[in-house]
Amino acid sequence: MISVTINGERRQLEAPLNCTELLARLDLAGKRVALERNGEIVPRSQFAVERLAEGDRLEIVVAVGGG
Amino acid sequence: MKPHENLDPLVIAGKPYRSRLLIGTGKYKDFAETRAAVEASGAEIVTVAIRRTNIGQDPKQPSLLEFLPPSKYTLLPNTAGCYTADDAVRTLRLARELLDGHELVKLEVLGDPKSLYPNIVDTLAAAKTLVKEGFKVMVYTSDDPIIARQLEEAGCVAVMPLASLIGSGMGILNPWNLGIIIEQAKVPVLVDAGVGTASDAAIAMELGCDGVLMNTAVAAAKNPMLMASAMKLAVEAGRAAFLAGRMPRKLYSAAPSSPTAGLITPSPKP
């Protein structure tokens, strides 16, 4: 198990897991999202190879209505 | 025939647009209403916000981009709600990734949650970073002509001064400052924020603005679709009036519109 912060919320996750697996676990597979890990963008092409680590801070964002 | 529609495009970062009205997508009842209003407005550029996804929500819930597909609209991700240059830059990096490398963005860094007045120091700092990273930055700013010039010099592709505070609907409070900004700018100047009704948009365009960006004026109208269409007409009318060149203002008319000769009774002496 690792402890990570996703969108400001702490979560325990079964490790190892990469970003693709994380999104699947969060029911976000196939959704148009962008991911930031510890302040750095994770390109979509890297989702399957980038592994999460203990203490990671993740932001997962979408486009919403705004002016 | 409306020649200005085809022969007079709004060019931003080298790309021509037919519509000079840019529409925000916030504050609508639902996505269907958002789309209907955007369609009625004729806008080609629509702003979107970037927010944390709601984890645990129904995965079948529709997303905004299904209603406003990037293949049909130029999405303009904004940094609304950001209060520091760092947050704004991070938000737009995420936006670029989210929208497959899309570079055209709207930068706004706010200074105060009550007035939503821009923080110009951080706006300028963020603009410089974003330009260096290859973003095409349309920047929300105050109506200070010096700051507008500095933002342009920093490489922003459009300068977007407020007409009045965001969401206030107070209209154009300082046409003279806008006039100075328009006169000096070599990039498009768009009024962003403060438009309340169609005449405000028309006035902005008559002043020589290249476009108008609005959200609340449409979304908060009793009938958003009708207001969107009113705004479309107002922006077109204002632009046409600007291009036509208005008559000079005179306190008295020395020349009535009808002939002075042939009256059945002579005019009184002035």
Side-chain angles (χ1 to χ4, degrees):
Chain A
M1 294 287 268
I2 53 169
S3 173
V4 300
T5 306
I6 305 173
N7 290 355
E9 242 177 72
R10 265 187 111 63
R11 282 168 184 259
Q12 304 289 324
L13 296 168
E14 295 242 12
L17 87 163
N18 60 38
C19 296
T20 304
E21 291 159 347
L22 170 73
L23 294 176
R25 245 180 253 183
L26 298 175
D27 268 339
L28 295 170
K31 291 271 168 191
R32 191 191 271 265
V33 298
L35 183 59
E36 187 197 74
R37 182 184 172 211
N38 301 325
E40 302 286 334
I41 297 289
V42 182
R44 220 168 290 163
S45 59
Q46 296 298 304
F47 279 6
V49 291
E50 187 114 357
R51 277 210 187 160
L52 303 192
E54 174 67 29
D56 273 354
R57 284 172 296 107
L58 302 159
E59 295 290 342
I60 307 174
V61 302
V62 291
V64 302
Chain B
M1 169 120 167
K2 299 170 184 166
H4 57 279
E5 277 191 348
N6 298 322
L7 303 177
D8 176 39
L10 167 64
V11 180
I12 298 173
K15 193 176 169 207
Y17 299 89
R18 286 184 314 280
S19 171
R20 291 175 177 270
L21 174 57
L22 287 67
I23 289 277
T25 57
K27 300 183 185 169
Y28 290 96
K29 193 173 80 214
D30 51 33
F31 290 148
E33 189 184 75
T34 312
R35 178 170 57 193
V38 169
E39 276 174 3
S41 76
E44 296 164 279
I45 302 178
V46 297
T47 65
V48 296
I50 304 299
R51 289 292 179 272
R52 285 172 165 172
T53 186
N54 197 356
I55 291 167
Q57 75 175 14
D58 175 9
K60 287 190 200 71
Q61 216 170 46
S63 77
L64 176 66
L65 299 194
E66 290 164 32
F67 285 79
L68 298 171
S71 54
K72 191 170 172 196
Y73 295 99
T74 298
L75 298 181
L76 188 65
N78 70 24
T79 60
C82 290
Y83 285 82
T84 66
D86 278 354
D87 281 350
V89 169
R90 271 176 73 197
T91 298
L92 291 177
R93 284 177 187 148
L94 280 162
R96 177 156 68 178
E97 184 58 28
L98 186 70
L99 299 173
D100 306 320
H102 175 90
E103 286 169 339
L104 190 69
V105 294
K106 173 182 159 180
L107 171 65
E108 62 179 288
V109 185
L110 303 176
D112 171 44
K114 186 175 177 190
S115 66
L116 302 178
Y117 205 79
N119 174 335
I120 293 308
V121 174
D122 273 39
T123 300
L124 190 56
K128 286 177 178 167
T129 304
L130 291 165
V131 168
K132 212 179 291 168
E133 294 186 13
F135 286 94
K136 296 184 167 75
V137 181
M138 302 176 72
V139 61
Y140 171 63
T141 183
S142 66
D143 61 5
D144 178 334
I146 306 304
I147 292 299
R149 192 171 63 203
Q150 289 178 351
L151 288 165
E152 181 179 342
E153 286 166 358
C156 293
V157 299
V159 174
M160 305 200 290
L162 50 77
S164 47
L165 296 179
I166 292 176
S168 70
M170 291 281 282
I172 293 161
L173 298 186
N174 195 337
W176 306 104
N177 272 27
L178 288 179
I180 296 170
I181 293 171
I182 291 161
E183 187 187 289
Q184 73 186 10
K186 292 178 190 71
V187 295
V189 176
L190 291 86
V191 151
D192 179 1
V195 166
T197 188
S199 52
D200 297 334
I203 290 169
M205 297 308 293
E206 287 172 5
L207 285 170
C209 282
D210 296 282
V212 179
L213 196 168
M214 66 181 72
N215 191 152
T216 312
V218 175
K222 282 197 185 108
N223 182 337
M225 275 68 84
L226 192 53
M227 186 56 90
S229 120
M231 291 299 184
K232 175 180 194 280
L233 296 170
V235 167
E236 286 175 8
R239 179 65 181 177
F242 169 72
L243 292 177
R246 61 152 296 147
M247 64 166 283
R249 285 183 176 84
K250 288 176 284 193
L251 189 53
Y252 298 107
S253 168
S257 302
S258 303
T260 48
L263 287 159
I264 56 170
T265 51
S267 296
K269 294 267 182 269

